[in-house]
Amino acid sequence: MGHDIHVTAMVLAGGQGSRLQPLTADRAKPAVPFGGTYRLIDFALSNLVNAGVRKIVVLTQYKSHSLDRHIALMWRLSPMLGDYVATAPAQMRVGPRWFLGSADAIYQNLNLVHDERPDYICVFGADHIYRMDPRQMIQHHVASGAGLTLAGIPIPLEQAPAFGVIEADASGSVRSFREKPSRPAPMPSAADMAYASMGIYVFSAGILVEAVTRDADDPASKHDLGGSIVPMLVERGEATVYDFAANEVPGATERDRAYWRDVGDLDSYYDASMDLIAVNPVFNLYNRDWPVYSWHPPLPPAKFVFDEEGRRGLAVDSLVSAGVIVSGGTVRRSVLSPDVVVREGALVEDCVLMDGVDVGRGAVVRRTIVDKNVIVPPGVHIGEDAGRDGGRFTLSGRGIVAIGKGQAIWPDE
C-alpha cells in the first residue's frame, strides 16, 4: 500500500439487526456467532488486518457488551507499532444523544480522525461474510482522484431492488446512487446486471470530515451514510465505483471468488452457514493465505463416542468445533459450535448449533438455528411441524426455526 499514505478504518457496528431476532435479543448484530467459532465482525476486521490496515475504530451502539468483550479479548493488536482495534461507543460529545445514524456516528467520533490525521479512511460494515483485499480498493481510490469510492458487486438485475444500486458510466464515475429502486440501472458492461452497493467505502479523509460536518448541520437529514452522505458526494461528481468482482484475494479458489453475503435476516444467515459445509465450500474457511481470525477458548478436541447398532456417534458434511461431544447421536449437514453435546439416539440435521447447546437423548432437530446454552430435552422434535414450532419459537420466512439464547424448551406432550 506504500508507506507514504496513511490509512485508518472505521467499522460501523451499531446495527440492531431486528430481522435477525432472536439472535440479536441481547447482542449487537456484528457479535452474532457464525461458522462455529467466529463472530460476524471477524470477517471485516480480518480483511482490514490482512491488508495492513491496523488502525481501526469500531463504532458501537446497540447492546454492545458482547461485541466489546469479543474485541477486547480477541482483537488486541501490537501497541508497540501503534496498531489497535478500539471500540468507540456514542460519546455524546455534541449533546446528550445516541448516534442518529451512521454518518452521525462518524461525526461524533471525528476527534479520532483529528488525532490520527489519515489521508484515507475505510468505512466498512461489520456484518457481511466475505473475503476482500482492501489494498486494491484503496489503490483504485487513490488513482481515481475521487473523494469517495464505493465497492459494488455485480448482481442480476432482478435482485437489485433489494439493494442500494450504483449507476456508473464506463469510466467508473458514479452518476446516481439509489436505495432499493424499483427500476434499477444496469451496469455499463452488462445489461442484465446491476452494481449493488456493499456498504464498503473508501473516503479521502478531508472529504469525509467535510461531508459529515455539513450533514450534522442539516436538521432534515437522516444522518445516514448510504442515505445522506453518499448521495451528496455522488451529486457533486466526487464518487467512483470499485468492482468487487475484480478483487484478487491471495489463496482464493475459483468457487469462492467474489463471495459476499449480507446476513440481514434469518434465512440469509442460515444460507451463508450452509455455504460453509458444502463439499466444495462456496465460502472457504480453509484459505491459509488470507485467514479469518477469531478467539478460540482453550477447549479439548471434539470427541465422537459409541459405535454400535442403535447408538453411533457420527457427524457427516458438518463443521464440528472444539469441545463438542457427539455421544451416540447423528449429525448431518450442520455447524456445531464449541461445547455442543449431542446425546444418544439424537438426530441433528441441517442445523446451526451455537456454543453449549445440549441435544438430549432421542431428540430430533432439523432446519433449526439454536442459540447458546439451549437445552433440548430428551425426545423433543423440532423443525418437523411448523404449526407447533411457530407457537414455541421464531420461524423465518422460509420456515427455518430459530431458538433464542438460553430459551427454555418444554418436553413434547
Side-chain angles (χ1 to χ4, degrees), residues 12 87 97 115 118 182 204 230 238 278 320 357 395:
L12 300 170
T87 53
R97 57 179 168 80
D115 292 349
S182 52
S204 299
V230 172
E238 293 193 42
V320 180
V357 169
L395 291 184

PDB file of all heavy atoms in Angstrom, residues 12 87 97 115 118 182 204 230 238 278 320 357 395:
ATOM      1  N   LEU A  12     -18.500   0.164  11.131  1.00  0.00           N
ATOM      2  CA  LEU A  12     -19.801   0.556  11.677  1.00  0.00           C
ATOM      3  C   LEU A  12     -20.483  -0.667  12.274  1.00  0.00           C
ATOM      4  O   LEU A  12     -20.916  -1.559  11.551  1.00  0.00           O
ATOM      5  CB  LEU A  12     -20.681   1.152  10.568  1.00  0.00           C
ATOM      6  CG  LEU A  12     -20.089   2.396   9.887  1.00  0.00           C
ATOM      7  CD1 LEU A  12     -20.907   2.757   8.661  1.00  0.00           C
ATOM      8  CD2 LEU A  12     -20.031   3.567  10.857  1.00  0.00           C
ATOM      9  N   THR A  87     -12.845   0.093  20.400  1.00  0.00           N
ATOM     10  CA  THR A  87     -14.290   0.320  20.285  1.00  0.00           C
ATOM     11  C   THR A  87     -14.598   1.731  20.757  1.00  0.00           C
ATOM     12  O   THR A  87     -14.017   2.214  21.724  1.00  0.00           O
ATOM     13  CB  THR A  87     -15.109  -0.684  21.119  1.00  0.00           C
ATOM     14  OG1 THR A  87     -14.631  -0.655  22.461  1.00  0.00           O
ATOM     15  CG2 THR A  87     -14.985  -2.085  20.570  1.00  0.00           C
ATOM     16  N   ARG A  97     -27.157  12.556  23.274  1.00  0.00           N
ATOM     17  CA  ARG A  97     -27.941  11.690  22.400  1.00  0.00           C
ATOM     18  C   ARG A  97     -27.086  10.554  21.868  1.00  0.00           C
ATOM     19  O   ARG A  97     -25.865  10.662  21.785  1.00  0.00           O
ATOM     20  CB  ARG A  97     -28.527  12.481  21.228  1.00  0.00           C
ATOM     21  CG  ARG A  97     -27.496  13.202  20.377  1.00  0.00           C
ATOM     22  CD  ARG A  97     -28.182  13.933  19.231  1.00  0.00           C
ATOM     23  NE  ARG A  97     -27.298  14.864  18.538  1.00  0.00           N
ATOM     24  CZ  ARG A  97     -26.407  14.525  17.625  1.00  0.00           C
ATOM     25  NH1 ARG A  97     -26.237  13.265  17.304  1.00  0.00           N
ATOM     26  NH2 ARG A  97     -25.661  15.444  17.031  1.00  0.00           N
ATOM     27  N   ASP A 115      -7.030  13.110  15.665  1.00  0.00           N
ATOM     28  CA  ASP A 115      -5.851  12.593  16.385  1.00  0.00           C
ATOM     29  C   ASP A 115      -4.921  11.845  15.436  1.00  0.00           C
ATOM     30  O   ASP A 115      -3.700  11.919  15.544  1.00  0.00           O
ATOM     31  CB  ASP A 115      -6.284  11.606  17.489  1.00  0.00           C
ATOM     32  CG  ASP A 115      -7.028  12.310  18.619  1.00  0.00           C
ATOM     33  OD1 ASP A 115      -7.012  13.563  18.642  1.00  0.00           O
ATOM     34  OD2 ASP A 115      -7.643  11.624  19.445  1.00  0.00           O
ATOM     35  N   PRO A 118      -5.270  10.743   9.148  1.00  0.00           N
ATOM     36  CA  PRO A 118      -5.057   9.859   7.995  1.00  0.00           C
ATOM     37  C   PRO A 118      -5.271  10.601   6.678  1.00  0.00           C
ATOM     38  O   PRO A 118      -5.923  11.650   6.639  1.00  0.00           O
ATOM     39  CB  PRO A 118      -6.142   8.797   8.176  1.00  0.00           C
ATOM     40  CG  PRO A 118      -7.251   9.523   8.873  1.00  0.00           C
ATOM     41  CD  PRO A 118      -6.587  10.533   9.770  1.00  0.00           C
ATOM     42  N   SER A 182     -37.095   0.682  -7.745  1.00  0.00           N
ATOM     43  CA  SER A 182     -37.988  -0.279  -8.404  1.00  0.00           C
ATOM     44  C   SER A 182     -37.495  -0.576  -9.823  1.00  0.00           C
ATOM     45  O   SER A 182     -37.725  -1.652 -10.357  1.00  0.00           O
ATOM     46  CB  SER A 182     -39.421   0.254  -8.425  1.00  0.00           C
ATOM     47  OG  SER A 182     -39.437   1.558  -8.957  1.00  0.00           O
ATOM     48  N   SER A 204     -11.492   9.891   0.870  1.00  0.00           N
ATOM     49  CA  SER A 204     -10.391  10.807   1.161  1.00  0.00           C
ATOM     50  C   SER A 204     -10.780  11.519   2.452  1.00  0.00           C
ATOM     51  O   SER A 204     -11.909  12.007   2.585  1.00  0.00           O
ATOM     52  CB  SER A 204     -10.207  11.798   0.014  1.00  0.00           C
ATOM     53  OG  SER A 204      -9.903  11.072  -1.175  1.00  0.00           O
ATOM     54  N   VAL A 230     -23.490   9.532   0.884  1.00  0.00           N
ATOM     55  CA  VAL A 230     -23.159   9.013  -0.448  1.00  0.00           C
ATOM     56  C   VAL A 230     -23.896   9.801  -1.544  1.00  0.00           C
ATOM     57  O   VAL A 230     -23.259  10.279  -2.489  1.00  0.00           O
ATOM     58  CB  VAL A 230     -23.418   7.489  -0.543  1.00  0.00           C
ATOM     59  CG1 VAL A 230     -23.259   7.004  -1.969  1.00  0.00           C
ATOM     60  CG2 VAL A 230     -22.465   6.736   0.393  1.00  0.00           C
ATOM     61  N   GLU A 238     -18.201  13.377  -7.129  1.00  0.00           N
ATOM     62  CA  GLU A 238     -16.949  13.029  -6.437  1.00  0.00           C
ATOM     63  C   GLU A 238     -16.842  11.544  -6.128  1.00  0.00           C
ATOM     64  O   GLU A 238     -15.964  11.133  -5.372  1.00  0.00           O
ATOM     65  CB  GLU A 238     -16.839  13.823  -5.131  1.00  0.00           C
ATOM     66  CG  GLU A 238     -16.665  15.311  -5.388  1.00  0.00           C
ATOM     67  CD  GLU A 238     -16.248  16.060  -4.133  1.00  0.00           C
ATOM     68  OE1 GLU A 238     -15.390  15.529  -3.400  1.00  0.00           O
ATOM     69  OE2 GLU A 238     -16.774  17.158  -3.894  1.00  0.00           O
ATOM     70  N   ALA A 278     -20.658 -27.135   2.323  1.00  0.00           N
ATOM     71  CA  ALA A 278     -20.688 -27.829   1.033  1.00  0.00           C
ATOM     72  C   ALA A 278     -19.358 -28.565   0.830  1.00  0.00           C
ATOM     73  O   ALA A 278     -18.321 -28.125   1.334  1.00  0.00           O
ATOM     74  CB  ALA A 278     -20.916 -26.814  -0.089  1.00  0.00           C
ATOM     75  N   VAL A 320     -17.441 -29.200  12.896  1.00  0.00           N
ATOM     76  CA  VAL A 320     -17.508 -29.579  14.308  1.00  0.00           C
ATOM     77  C   VAL A 320     -16.381 -28.867  15.053  1.00  0.00           C
ATOM     78  O   VAL A 320     -15.205 -29.053  14.746  1.00  0.00           O
ATOM     79  CB  VAL A 320     -17.382 -31.114  14.469  1.00  0.00           C
ATOM     80  CG1 VAL A 320     -17.453 -31.493  15.940  1.00  0.00           C
ATOM     81  CG2 VAL A 320     -18.483 -31.825  13.682  1.00  0.00           C
ATOM     82  N   VAL A 357     -24.919 -25.783  23.357  1.00  0.00           N
ATOM     83  CA  VAL A 357     -26.230 -26.402  23.155  1.00  0.00           C
ATOM     84  C   VAL A 357     -26.142 -27.891  23.511  1.00  0.00           C
ATOM     85  O   VAL A 357     -25.168 -28.566  23.174  1.00  0.00           O
ATOM     86  CB  VAL A 357     -26.710 -26.209  21.694  1.00  0.00           C
ATOM     87  CG1 VAL A 357     -27.940 -27.076  21.397  1.00  0.00           C
ATOM     88  CG2 VAL A 357     -27.012 -24.743  21.424  1.00  0.00           C
ATOM     89  N   LEU A 395     -40.063 -18.383  13.583  1.00  0.00           N
ATOM     90  CA  LEU A 395     -39.883 -19.034  12.282  1.00  0.00           C
ATOM     91  C   LEU A 395     -39.452 -17.979  11.261  1.00  0.00           C
ATOM     92  O   LEU A 395     -40.015 -16.883  11.228  1.00  0.00           O
ATOM     93  CB  LEU A 395     -41.187 -19.686  11.793  1.00  0.00           C
ATOM     94  CG  LEU A 395     -41.700 -20.911  12.562  1.00  0.00           C
ATOM     95  CD1 LEU A 395     -42.932 -21.475  11.874  1.00  0.00           C
ATOM     96  CD2 LEU A 395     -40.629 -21.988  12.656  1.00  0.00           C
TER      97      LEU A 395
END
